[in-house]
Amino acid sequence: MPDRRSVDDLSIDELERILAVKKRTERAKRMRRLAARGRVLPVDPLKESSAPEASAPLPASADWGSSPYRSIEVEEQEQKEPRPRKSLAWRWMFNQVLLLTEALVVLAMIYVIAEFFLLRNEINEDVITIQATLTPTAPRPLINAVVLPSGHRPPDSSGNAAPLDPMEEIPAHLRGLVQPVTPLPIPTPGPNQPTRLVVRAISVDAPIVQGDTWEQLKKGVGHHIETANPGQRGNMVLSAHNDIYGEIFRNLDKLKPGDEIVVYSGVTSFRYIISQTRIVEPTEVSVMYPTSDPTITLISCYPYLVDNKRIVVSAELQP
């Protein structure tokens, strides 16, 4: 006789048993349905003892995906959720196109920058070439001397200076280039020309005369004509003897870089600082060439009483 009690009259154990029966019934239906499709072995889940043994052979068409031990819920979920269709990866293609575009932009920028630098170098080279054609060449030095000034012969046994032939100071292979020169009178110093030389490091305080020939160097320090005046841009060349006529430049070789030279033009003084000292041949007239900055060059014979070389002291004007 069927039980006609309402759900409210049933106990919890009875409700659980009814629910278990319904679950087994539904599971049996699903199992039969899957067995009809060949997904699982034909097993009656209502019989607890009807479960297949572990050693029972599986059919040839069976695999682990269709094993009876697989969860029924998983099988139903696979049936309800069909696999999505493979579509074209539009987003991936878009990203690839975007990456290619960025690479092309970077390459274009590198090309533009390279072209800019190449064009700039070409323009600079063209400007340098044009400036070279427009810039006047360096003026030819106004130094006509073949040998450096202050050359002389030592005194004879009587104490007087031996007669001097200027041609003897000139090397034999250069004498043909020099014409005898008639001595000129000592010019009067102009308003901007040097008048006095002071070198405290070697106790020199001597007058400066215009010209540096034999007669002029008897009177003091000679200013080579056509060289710069004190304070002017260019090379002011001064020379004097080292062992006769006062031995004004006797200790020129004791000067060192950093020592001070003061040149007066009237009452105005100009301060020079020594930069270097050199020993050169008497024919090294390039030391008298003009310079782009205000400089002074002191020249005398060297060594003492031998006088086959020249000592050259260079200094620069200080503000």
Side-chain angles (χ1 to χ4, degrees), residues 253-260 273-277 313-315:
D253 57 343
K254 296 182 180 180
L255 293 175
K256 57 184 181 298
D259 288 341
E260 181 183 71
I273 297 298
I274 295 175
S275 57
Q276 65 174 337
T277 298
V313 177
S314 301

Side-chain angles (χ1 to χ4, degrees), residues 1-30:
M1 181 176 181
D3 192 351
R4 296 183 180 278
R5 291 179 298 172
S6 63
V7 177
D8 295 333
D9 297 334
L10 298 175
S11 64
I12 294 177
D13 293 337
E14 291 174 339
L15 289 175
E16 289 179 351
R17 285 195 298 272
I18 293 172
L19 182 60
V21 171
K22 286 185 176 293
K23 287 183 177 180
R24 286 197 298 272
T25 302
E26 292 296 327
R27 182 175 180 183
K29 291 180 181 180
R30 288 196 299 271

Side-chain angles (χ1 to χ4, degrees), residues 224-290:
H224 193 82
I225 298 175
E226 296 180 345
T227 61
N229 289 324
Q232 292 181 349
R233 185 174 67 176
N235 186 14
M236 178 172 56
V237 179
L238 303 179
S239 59
H241 290 300
N242 71 330
D243 51 12
I244 58 174
Y245 301 125
E247 300 184 348
I248 298 175
F249 282 174
R250 168 70 177 84
N251 296 317
L252 207 62
D253 57 343
K254 296 182 180 180
L255 293 175
K256 57 184 181 298
D259 288 341
E260 181 183 71
I261 298 174
V262 180
V263 179
Y264 289 86
S265 178
V267 296
T268 305
S269 63
F270 298 87
R271 178 172 171 265
Y272 294 81
I273 297 298
I274 295 175
S275 57
Q276 65 174 337
T277 298
R278 292 175 290 171
I279 306 298
V280 300
E281 295 293 331
T283 55
E284 190 64 35
V285 295
S286 61
V287 299
M288 303 170 62
Y289 286 175

